[in-house]
Amino acid sequence: MTDAPTGRRGLTTLATSVYDAVREDIVQGILAPGTKLKIAALQSRYDCGASPIREALNRLSMERFVIQSDQRGFVVAPISLDDFDEITETRCLLYSLLLPLAIERGDQAWEEGIIIALHRLNKLPRSNDLPLDESLAGRLAHKKFHRSLIAASPSNFLIEMLDILFDFADRYRLLVGRIAPEELRGEAVREHAELVDHVISRRTDEAVNLAVHHVRRTAALFRNHISLVKSK
Amino acid sequence: MTDAPTGRRGLTTLATSVYDAVREDIVQGILAPGTKLKIAALQSRYDCGASPIREALNRLSMERFVIQSDQRGFVVAPISLDDFDEITETRCLLYSLLLPLAIERGDQAWEEGIIIALHRLNKLPRSNDLPLDESLAGRLAHKKFHRSLIAASPSNFLIEMLDILFDFADRYRLLVGRIAPEELRGEAVREHAELVDHVISRRTDEAVNLAVHHVRRTAALFRNHISLVKSK
DNA sequence: TAAATCCAAAATATCGATATTTTTTTATCG
DNA sequence: CGATAAAAAAATATCGATATTTTGGATTTA
């Protein structure tokens, strides 16, 4: 789920697990936008000293999940309609840019990566209470699917940026809450399949149009509700 | 010069000044690619404890100036031809994407920002020993000029990414050393003026072509020398 | 002599304590 | 009273010390 920067081998560090945990808590909205992140509070929450907490927050501030200001600590990144629109717009721009390049350059392994990612996304075990697209596993599979489409494009910088933007968008979606009625979920599944078809068949324009439409439509679904979200 | 994330008011922190210093040392090549960044060494170099050092390095690792691996510390990001090509390619892609949008959306303030940035770049006091484009002030002005061109585009995420990529590219340029003969510097000056002309006159295609050409030509100037750079 | 093992030295990650700075509260003055 | 100043409380940033992990030899072993 994470974009952790630390080349992870077997052993991890406290700083890294705090990073993971806080990041996920922010995306899930457990830590509300604007919340003050007090070191002492996080220390007791994660049962460690100040150093791992501060290292984690320093990392998150570079990703913009957290806002840091010298001598005044850290807050969870606030939300706004403008911010959301910019996230959506940037995602669309990057898909328009990268999808054609991936289609042009993609090889067999790339195609197969897409097929696998779609398969895994669709075959995820469904739980009754929690909608698939709010579960950690569901979100991760969805993110990996989106990434697989552009995996063959020539810029890892931009691929990673899209990953982060995906999580930003997910935060807004989760903050707004379960707004997607069943038929809309079905529509997403259909769009995914259709998108894969376009991409694999190298129908560049159709693929881009659908990808952008998919992002915009999903965004529009809950854009109106954003102003209702409670911040701190 | 910096992309420091910390909303800076009057007072700063040790962590932030170490962040600035190490970042600049990496861009200048004073800290060579691949160099192990030992906490104790940095402590005596910057005369502070481990915490500010580690916080600075954690920030830098998220920007990819530094590579972190859990339990094994930090190294200066290594260099490679592939990495350099990806940086160059991504910069070209982003200019192709953002410049048309900026031209389309830019208002008078945007135009004037470009004029000012170019003016400041050209009027910088020249010192005899250090070429302008290797001085901190010169590089900063150059970066600001490039940013001014796309400042009106709709994605701050991508504008900031280009800023970082500019510094990545500058690191390679500075590592390779003074390879730009006088006439080539003159050519850069001419290209800048021409580029501004295209942009302000809304000649989108010409502007994009020249911007991409400018980036690629500059990159090609020292690409061959990269393999000669000594890493650690 | 290449590989595996053990050990010492070095380095990292983390803790607990504290100086500094900011925030909140209380008191004072016009 | 509202504004301001002083004092107290809270929070941040940083230090110095230490447990843990990795690294780099020696040393042994197959």
Side-chain angles (χ1 to χ4, degrees):
Chain A
M1 199 63 209
T2 199
D3 293 84
T6 135
R8 296 190 186 170
R9 295 166 16 274
L11 277 183
T12 184
T13 60
L14 272 179
T16 293
S17 37
V18 172
Y19 165 85
D20 286 340
V22 174
R23 194 182 196 278
E24 180 62 21
D25 282 350
I26 291 174
V27 172
Q28 288 196 26
I30 294 170
L31 289 169
T35 306
K36 183 76 207 286
L37 293 165
K38 295 193 199 123
I39 307 297
L42 294 173
Q43 283 191 67
S44 47
R45 179 163 188 188
Y46 296 109
D47 192 41
C48 66
S51 317
I53 303 288
R54 293 187 56 86
E55 290 187 23
L57 294 180
N58 270 279
R59 292 184 206 173
L60 288 165
S61 74
M62 298 303 283
E63 284 187 309
R64 311 278 196 217
F65 281 102
V66 154
I67 306 299
Q68 174 169 27
S69 72
D70 279 351
Q71 309 288 13
R72 306 209 297 177
F74 305 83
V75 298
V76 176
I79 58 173
S80 70
L81 264 190
D82 280 354
D83 180 56
F84 178 71
D85 288 340
E86 194 172 326
I87 290 165
T88 306
E89 178 64 17
T90 306
R91 292 178 72 204
C92 291
L93 286 174
L94 287 180
Y95 280 121
S96 312
L97 181 68
L98 297 185
L99 207 43
L101 295 168
I103 288 174
E104 184 185 332
R105 303 163 36 112
D107 57 7
Q108 188 175 358
W110 166 71
E111 286 185 21
E112 292 171 358
I114 296 171
I115 301 295
I116 290 291
L118 179 63
H119 177 76
R120 289 185 182 156
L121 177 58
N122 286 333
K123 292 298 180 186
L124 273 177
R126 318 206 148 247
S127 90
N128 297 330
D129 44 329
L130 192 67
L132 187 59
D133 55 7
E134 295 183 19
S135 75
L136 187 84
R139 289 187 292 120
L140 181 55
H142 193 202
K143 177 158 97 169
K144 284 186 172 171
F145 168 68
H146 275 254
R147 180 166 56 213
S148 75
L149 295 170
I150 53 165
S153 59
S155 172
N156 286 109
F157 296 108
L158 298 179
I159 291 173
E160 277 160 34
M161 163 132 286
L162 262 173
D163 260 7
I164 293 180
L165 292 170
F166 186 96
D167 287 334
F168 284 169
D170 246 10
R171 176 169 79 131
Y172 278 91
R173 186 172 62 79
L174 294 173
L175 281 169
V176 164
R178 81 189 58 253
I179 41 73
E182 198 47 53
E183 69 261 27
L184 286 176
R185 297 171 199 271
E187 185 160 344
V189 171
R190 246 175 290 120
E191 278 181 359
H192 285 159
E194 196 183 345
L195 181 51
V196 168
D197 190 32
H198 287 323
V199 167
I200 302 280
S201 309
R202 263 66 177 180
R203 291 190 293 272
T204 305
D205 291 348
E206 287 91 333
V208 168
N209 286 339
L210 183 53
V212 168
H213 174 264
H214 178 67
V215 170
R216 285 201 200 285
R217 184 184 63 77
T218 311
L221 279 181
F222 52 89
R223 183 178 187 283
N224 299 120
H225 302 256
I226 290 175
S227 56
L228 303 175
V229 174
K230 65 206 166 308
S231 294
K232 271 296 171 49
Chain B
M1 197 66 207
T2 199
D3 293 84
T6 135
R8 295 190 186 169
R9 295 170 11 279
L11 279 183
T12 183
T13 60
L14 271 179
T16 292
S17 38
V18 171
Y19 164 85
D20 285 340
V22 174
R23 193 182 195 279
E24 180 62 22
D25 282 350
I26 290 173
V27 172
Q28 288 196 27
I30 294 171
L31 289 168
T35 305
K36 182 76 205 284
L37 293 164
K38 292 190 201 131
I39 306 297
L42 294 172
Q43 282 189 69
S44 48
R45 179 163 189 190
Y46 296 108
D47 191 40
C48 67
S51 317
I53 302 287
R54 292 188 57 85
E55 290 186 23
L57 295 180
N58 269 279
R59 292 184 206 173
L60 289 164
S61 75
M62 299 303 284
E63 283 188 308
R64 312 277 194 213
F65 282 102
V66 154
I67 305 299
Q68 173 170 29
S69 76
D70 278 351
Q71 309 287 13
R72 307 208 298 177
F74 305 82
V75 298
V76 176
I79 58 173
S80 69
L81 264 190
D82 280 353
D83 180 56
F84 178 71
D85 289 339
E86 194 171 326
I87 291 165
T88 306
E89 177 66 15
T90 305
R91 292 178 72 205
C92 291
L93 287 174
L94 286 180
Y95 281 121
S96 312
L97 180 68
L98 297 185
L99 208 40
L101 295 169
I103 289 174
E104 184 185 333
R105 302 161 38 110
D107 57 6
Q108 189 176 357
W110 165 72
E111 286 185 19
E112 292 171 357
I114 296 172
I115 300 296
I116 290 292
L118 179 63
H119 176 76
R120 289 184 182 157
L121 177 57
N122 286 334
K123 291 299 178 185
L124 273 177
R126 316 204 150 247
S127 90
N128 297 331
D129 44 327
L130 192 66
L132 187 60
D133 55 6
E134 293 182 20
S135 75
L136 187 82
R139 289 188 290 118
L140 181 54
H142 193 200
K143 178 158 97 170
K144 284 186 173 172
F145 168 69
H146 274 255
R147 180 167 54 210
S148 75
L149 295 170
I150 54 165
S153 60
S155 172
N156 287 108
F157 296 108
L158 298 179
I159 291 173
E160 278 160 32
M161 164 133 284
L162 261 173
D163 260 8
I164 294 180
L165 292 171
F166 185 96
D167 287 334
F168 284 170
D170 246 10
R171 176 169 79 131
Y172 278 91
R173 185 171 64 78
L174 295 173
L175 281 170
V176 163
R178 83 191 56 252
I179 42 75
E182 197 48 52
E183 68 263 26
L184 287 176
R185 295 172 199 271
E187 184 160 344
V189 171
R190 246 174 289 121
E191 279 181 359
H192 285 160
E194 197 182 345
L195 182 50
V196 168
D197 190 33
H198 288 323
V199 167
I200 302 282
S201 308
R202 263 68 178 180
R203 292 190 293 271
T204 305
D205 290 349
E206 287 92 333
V208 168
N209 285 340
L210 183 54
V212 168
H213 174 263
H214 178 68
V215 170
R216 285 202 200 286
R217 184 184 62 78
T218 311
L221 279 182
F222 52 88
R223 183 178 187 281
N224 298 120
H225 302 257
I226 291 176
S227 55
L228 303 175
V229 175
K230 64 207 169 306
S231 294
K232 274 294 173 50

